[in-house]
Amino acid sequence: MPMRASQAVVLLALASPASAGTKNWLDTWGAGEKGQLGSGGLLDSWKPRTVRQLLGTAPVEVAFGYAHALSLSFSQEVYSWGQGRFGALGR
């Protein structure tokens, strides 16, 4: 069954400087009614917004599920946000 735009993060961008592990950031946009954008709110955003809670963590990998996301930092820490049904956030 295809997902509607209101059901998923539509796009993701990860930007980093030449020096891995410093001042990296993560931008997300799309549907956010379950907190899956990491903005701290439940609103959709159709322009890129930086996930402020990840500033300085140097995200190196990001994975998105139906209404949640996980990020692995350069220092091997895992961050999760969004809807945590069925243990999706690992808590």
Side-chain angles (χ1 to χ4, degrees):
M1 168 202 261
M3 295 173 72
R4 298 186 323 246
S6 65
Q7 293 178 312
V9 172
V10 177
L11 295 169
L12 162 75
L14 180 63
S16 67
S19 174
T22 60
K23 297 183 182 176
N24 290 10
W25 68 90
L26 174 70
D27 289 338
T28 59
W29 60 96
E33 70 274 358
K34 306 284 186 196
Q36 66 267 44
L37 295 180
S39 64
L42 303 176
L43 299 175
D44 298 346
S45 175
W46 301 110
K47 69 177 194 174
R49 302 231 186 250
T50 299
V51 180
R52 294 181 188 266
Q53 291 83 352
L54 294 181
L55 285 173
T57 66
V60 294
E61 290 190 43
V62 180
F64 284 91
Y66 173 75
H68 66 281
L70 297 157
S71 173
L72 177 66
S73 74
F74 182 76
S75 62
Q76 302 297 298
E77 295 176 300
V78 176
Y79 298 86
S80 62
W81 61 93
Q83 185 178 53
R85 293 182 66 193
F86 308 111
L89 300 180
R91 297 182 183 149

